[in-house]
Amino acid sequence: MTFKFAHIADAHLGFEQYRLPYRAEEFKKAFETAIKKAIEEKVDFILIAGDLFHRSNPSPQTIKEAIDILSIPKEEGIPVFAIEGNHDRTQKRISAYNLLESLGLMHVLGFSEEKKENKYQTTEKVNGKLITKGVFEKGNKSLEIYGMKFMSAAWFERNRLSDYFRPSGDAILMLHQGIKEMMESLKLETQRDYFEITLEDLPDGFLYYAMGHIHKRWQSNKGLGVVAYPGSLERWDFGDYEMRYRWKGDTFIPQAGEEKGFLIVEDFKPRFVKLDVRPFYDIKIKADEVSAKKELKKLSTKIPEEAFVRVDIEWEKPFDVSFLHEIFSVKYLHIRTKFKRSSIRTGSTANAKDFFNPLELKILELVGEKEFEAFEEVIELLLKGSPPREESKREEIHKPKKEESKPKTKEESKKAQKPQPKKKSDLLSWLKGERE
Ligand SMILES: [Mn+2]
């Protein structure tokens, strides 16, 4: 008799991608479909490896969606084991997961403040900490399911997984972390430095490492165990494309991306189950207006209407790209341009670093990505960033201007006009909380 389970990660319920409410609906649908397919597969249990929710404080509607969907396996008597991800963990004592646990819809694994003892959970003290693990019995076989919510790199500097997670029999370990070897092999556009551990850091002796966090599929081995990431259920961004078209001087080279879905694991061997999700197309072209128009028009016939499309146009001279909206009758179109401009003053190249302070540069970088989701981050930066700026301004205003009337030489005024970038350390020290 073998164990059969579903391994789902990064459902991100409540994520209004590109601020489109219907995308949250689609993320919900994907999760619902995954759960239903898992039940059709007659799994023994379901693992949710973090980021079930997009935020740690999901809206009542999003919580209701989770309740409705997780009620399906509950009615079937299929237990769900879960850990919190970086998106939905909370520093508060009770998270949305604990709420779902109280409703009997899931079993939360990992460090715990209370002893949980029931049919599917047991708690033990390891290294001075209470750790709740899952237990699943089938016939005369027993399986342990260990897990831990997302932990920062700082935690891994002080702790080793093997200090806390030591299997005593057949066991699974569920984590929401990035693994260095994975990040190096995937060459991602985003999430590039999202790793806290290496394969080496994974504790020995587990038969299956059920991973979440990185939104792409990946698989490796650790001892006799399999290390697997199912990836996110829905497409995360245009780097997570279904199809990519790269311009090779005179023609587009198509490159198929990955399918999205989750894993059905039988006898600790994962098998991918595909979900039909909204297609993302990523197009890049470097051409003048006439060729770009012609080639993109040709290409557009290959792209389904329901697709999300990103077009990158690059050329030596700027031109109007509004024709793209006529060419592509798709659900969502994101245009990015990279045009060379003739420099106003010859012999000098403008460098953003000369004009903006580090805070402004960071915000420009975030906002420059038109598809950016970092609104809160920007607001936080602005809020955090404003006091020192305000202070220095105020200082200027209140300072008696002694030398105001003194005429300046050409050289001096030139110097004065050139914005002085702030010390590099300013923003960094503040983000680290080193403000006085
Ligand atoms: Mn995630």
Side-chain angles (χ1 to χ4, degrees):
M1 200 177 286
T2 55
F3 293 103
K4 183 175 182 180
F5 60 92
H7 171 192
I8 296 172
D10 298 276
H12 285 270
L13 294 179
F15 181 26
E16 294 189 357
Q17 195 181 36
Y18 308 125
R19 291 182 287 288
L20 301 167
Y22 67 82
R23 279 301 280 159
E25 182 65 29
E26 291 173 8
F27 275 73
K28 180 200 113 179
K29 263 259 118 61
F31 181 56
E32 187 177 356
T33 309
I35 291 288
K36 285 181 173 167
K37 283 191 183 232
I39 291 167
E40 276 169 35
E41 290 268 358
K42 299 198 186 329
V43 296
D44 298 316
F45 57 88
I46 295 169
L47 301 181
I48 296 177
D51 285 359
L52 169 61
F53 298 107
H54 187 58
R55 300 200 182 290
S56 61
N57 53 349
S59 69
Q61 186 188 323
T62 305
I63 295 170
K64 185 181 183 299
E65 288 168 3
I67 291 173
D68 290 347
I69 297 167
L70 291 171
S71 296
I72 309 170
K74 193 195 176 184
E75 268 166 40
E76 300 287 330
I78 297 171
V80 174
F81 299 96
I83 53 164
E84 291 160 26
N86 57 315
H87 272 262
D88 54 13
R89 74 180 170 150
T90 170
Q91 302 303 337
K92 295 181 181 135
R93 216 170 58 79
I94 301 295
S95 73
Y97 284 63
N98 297 121
L99 170 67
L100 296 171
E101 186 171 51
S102 289
L103 294 168
L105 298 171
M106 66 163 55
H107 305 288
V108 183
L109 308 180
F111 295 113
S112 177
E113 288 189 7
E114 48 174 345
K115 280 200 162 230
K116 297 179 196 168
E117 297 292 337
N118 56 61
K119 189 181 174 192
Y120 295 116
Q121 281 168 309
T122 183
T123 306
E124 50 195 25
K125 200 160 201 171
V126 187
N127 240 329
K129 301 236 182 190
L130 286 180
I131 298 177
T132 297
K133 67 177 179 186
V135 261
F136 189 86
E137 306 199 340
K138 190 177 183 183
N140 57 356
K141 278 193 166 180
S142 178
L143 182 65
E144 298 175 309
I145 306 159
Y146 290 82
M148 178 181 79
K149 71 174 178 187
F150 171 83
M151 291 294 189
S152 66
W155 187 87
F156 286 96
E157 276 169 27
R158 297 187 307 267
N159 297 275
R160 278 185 316 181
L161 287 166
S162 53
D163 291 340
Y164 298 106
F165 301 101
R166 302 164 189 153
S168 51
D170 285 359
I172 292 170
L173 177 62
M174 181 156 51
L175 297 171
H176 189 91
Q177 308 288 161
I179 295 176
K180 190 172 181 238
E181 287 86 345
M182 170 189 199
M183 306 319 287
E184 284 170 355
S185 71
L186 284 180
K187 297 188 182 89
L188 299 177
E189 242 178 59
T190 51
Q191 289 193 321
R192 252 172 307 204
D193 7 281
Y194 279 27
F195 65 83
E196 302 79 25
I197 55 172
T198 63
L199 278 175
E200 174 87 40
D201 296 326
L202 290 174
D204 292 316
F206 290 89
L207 294 169
Y208 189 84
Y209 298 82
M211 306 298 297
H213 190 41
I214 306 306
H215 294 158
K216 294 265 199 172
R217 261 161 77 195
W218 193 69
Q219 202 177 309
S220 186
N221 294 292
K222 167 80 182 183
L224 298 173
V226 173
V227 182
Y229 285 84
S232 56
L233 296 181
E234 276 278 340
R235 295 198 181 277
W236 187 248
D237 54 25
F238 286 99
D240 198 1
Y241 54 88
E242 176 172 314
M243 194 60 105
R244 165 176 272 180
Y245 290 96
R246 285 288 177 266
W247 186 246
K248 287 284 172 286
D250 57 347
T251 181
F252 283 111
I253 306 292
Q255 186 190 338
E258 266 181 29
E259 295 179 330
K260 305 303 288 181
F262 68 102
L263 301 170
I264 292 286
V265 187
E266 242 179 311
D267 204 15
F268 306 105
K269 289 180 203 61
R271 158 169 61 90
F272 183 69
V273 177
K274 183 189 176 230
L275 295 178
D276 286 316
V277 295
R278 188 175 286 286
F280 277 44
Y281 281 70
D282 188 32
I283 302 165
K284 216 173 214 174
I285 185 168
K286 192 174 178 181
D288 60 56
E289 187 170 5
V290 177
S291 331
K293 218 179 222 172
K294 191 178 119 216
E295 293 297 333
L296 288 167
K297 195 163 183 152
K298 236 184 345 186
L299 183 64
S300 70
T301 59
K302 292 181 186 164
I303 295 169
E305 261 177 43
E306 72 271 20
F308 276 28
V309 177
R310 179 173 75 184
V311 183
D312 276 297
I313 293 192
E314 191 180 338
W315 191 240
E316 271 119 51
K317 274 190 302 194
F319 55 82
D320 182 10
V321 294
S322 57
F323 66 86
L324 289 169
H325 291 282
E326 285 147 44
I327 287 178
F328 290 99
S329 55
V330 292
K331 189 76 179 171
Y332 179 87
L333 180 64
H334 177 200
I335 303 164
R336 294 201 302 192
T337 55
K338 202 169 159 190
F339 292 133
K340 264 193 204 121
R341 289 161 197 283
S342 44
S343 187
I344 299 159
R345 283 165 299 153
T346 47
S348 77
T349 45
N351 187 345
K353 282 191 181 132
D354 296 335
F355 294 93
F356 302 105
N357 68 33
L359 171 69
E360 290 161 339
L361 283 169
K362 181 68 194 165
I363 290 167
L364 282 172
E365 181 199 317
L366 291 167
V367 179
E369 281 288 315
K370 272 190 194 153
E371 52 183 315
F372 87 114
E373 295 295 337
F375 256 120
E376 288 180 0
E377 203 177 322
V378 169
I379 288 164
E380 204 177 304
L381 278 174
L382 284 166
L383 288 173
K384 274 191 189 161
S386 57
R389 286 182 61 91
E390 286 302 308
E391 274 159 30
S392 63
K393 248 188 209 163
R394 223 174 292 140
E395 222 177 81
E396 263 168 42
I397 293 162
H398 295 307
K399 220 187 261 170
K401 292 174 185 171
K402 288 172 200 164
E403 298 172 317
E404 198 157 75
S405 57
K406 191 186 167 190
K408 283 175 182 158
T409 66
K410 240 185 188 175
E411 275 300 302
E412 272 173 343
S413 54
K414 221 181 189 178
K415 215 175 179 181
Q417 270 167 28
K418 195 188 173 191
Q420 296 293 313
K422 287 194 175 172
K423 262 186 290 164
K424 237 185 191 172
S425 62
D426 284 359
L427 177 72
L428 287 173
S429 51
W430 264 355
L431 288 176
K432 284 185 197 151
E434 289 166 11
R435 292 165 55 186
E436 317 96 273

